[in-house]
Amino acid sequence: DAGVTQSPTHLIKTRGQQVTLRCSPKSGHDTVSWYQQALGQGPQFIFQYYEEEERQRGNFPDRFSGHQFPNYSSELNVNALLLGDSALYLCASSTLDRVGGGKLFFGSGTQLSVL
Amino acid sequence: AQTVTQSQPEMSVQEAETVTLSCTYDTSESDYYLFWYKQPPSRQMILVIRQEAYKQQNATENRFSVNFQKAAKSFSLKISDSQLGDAAMYFCAYRSALHSGGGADGLTFGKGTHLIIQP
């Protein structure tokens, strides 16, 4: 059973460009969350998608947008890249857990470098 | 807004010994979840242990246990019989229960503690 897969693993862009990162959730999962992890920091929540809609959003500007497809896979788009956007971008999947505190499964991330 | 603080940037322990990683958090909520995640060099975050705030009993998973002090807003992780494979970054994380019933919402992470295991 494949876990959470992310592509690409590494990416280099220049300031002002746009980037798209991709995530396939673990089999059976319907919810995808995205996190940004700057060097030496803990991950920061960007947003979460369920049923193809953004369900919750962290404190990130509108330059960060996303999409979820009918097969539950997801994309993270970042426009007008800044040097400060350089980070590891982690995708996590889960099920809509009525109990709460649901377990997240993380991918290995996409390392984005903005030059 | 909730905050999570890990005051130990790095900890070192001898193999087979016990180590405790500290975490404090700040919240005005009474119902929430706390987590410890491990991030090895592969970068994949792995859940180590989870605690529901409404449960007084401390969570335990094999060699990993927590000391949850709700009044003090403290949530430490104890690793017993440390093994070389335990070497990693460890992150403490908080999740509000306000959105319970709707998936695992956004986690708030601390900055992490780098755990070194000395052979």
Side-chain angles (χ1 to χ4, degrees):
Chain A
D1 175 29
V4 179
T5 58
Q6 293 186 242
S7 64
T9 54
H10 294 83
L11 203 51
I12 299 175
K13 292 286 188 178
T14 56
R15 282 178 296 174
Q17 285 190 311
Q18 179 264 343
V19 68
T20 297
L21 310 182
R22 295 176 176 83
C23 173
S24 292
K26 181 178 170 63
S27 178
H29 286 184
D30 55 16
T31 304
V32 173
S33 303
W34 287 92
Y35 288 81
Q36 180 195 66
Q37 186 177 16
L39 188 64
Q41 303 293 317
Q44 280 194 287
F45 175 67
I46 302 175
F47 43 50
Q48 183 187 75
Y49 275 83
Y50 171 69
E51 290 190 339
E52 303 179 47
E53 290 190 359
E54 185 182 292
R55 197 172 157 275
Q56 191 185 16
R57 188 180 184 92
N59 189 24
F60 277 81
D62 292 344
R63 297 188 299 109
F64 289 77
S65 63
H67 188 77
Q68 186 179 34
F69 298 94
N71 67 352
Y72 308 119
S73 67
S74 177
E75 290 182 348
L76 165 65
N77 301 293
V78 187
N79 295 322
L81 283 168
L82 303 174
L83 295 179
D85 295 332
S86 295
L88 178 68
Y89 288 85
L90 294 166
C91 171
S93 72
S94 58
T95 57
L96 197 64
D97 182 2
R98 293 296 175 183
V99 174
K103 183 175 181 178
L104 289 179
F105 287 80
F106 282 83
S108 295
T110 294
Q111 184 65 55
L112 172 65
S113 298
V114 182
L115 306 179
Chain B
Q2 294 81 21
T3 58
V4 176
T5 302
Q6 294 180 250
S7 58
Q8 306 154 318
E10 187 174 278
M11 292 285 284
S12 181
V13 64
Q14 290 290 129
E15 192 177 3
E17 296 296 308
T18 295
V19 64
T20 298
L21 309 184
S22 301
C23 172
T24 58
Y25 58 95
D26 188 26
T27 183
S28 58
E29 298 173 341
S30 59
D31 197 11
Y32 48 86
Y33 303 91
L34 296 166
F35 307 84
W36 278 98
Y37 277 87
K38 169 184 177 181
Q39 187 177 41
S42 68
R43 308 182 309 191
Q44 186 178 29
M45 301 285 279
I46 301 166
L47 179 64
V48 174
I49 200 165
R50 178 178 72 184
Q51 175 80 42
E52 291 96 335
Y54 62 86
K55 289 186 177 179
Q56 293 186 340
Q57 185 175 7
N58 290 323
T60 299
E61 289 286 344
N62 301 313
R63 298 182 295 107
F64 300 86
S65 62
V66 298
N67 183 4
F68 173 49
Q69 301 289 328
K70 190 171 184 179
K73 297 180 181 175
S74 170
F75 183 61
S76 61
L77 174 69
K78 185 172 81 172
I79 306 175
S80 304
D81 185 26
S82 297
Q83 301 175 0
L84 294 177
D86 295 333
M89 286 293 295
Y90 284 81
F91 292 94
C92 178
Y94 171 103
R95 172 184 173 264
S96 170
L98 285 177
H99 297 281
S100 290
D105 295 331
L107 296 171
T108 300
F109 286 87
K111 290 187 175 182
T113 296
H114 181 209
L115 179 62
I116 298 168
I117 310 294
Q118 304 280 4

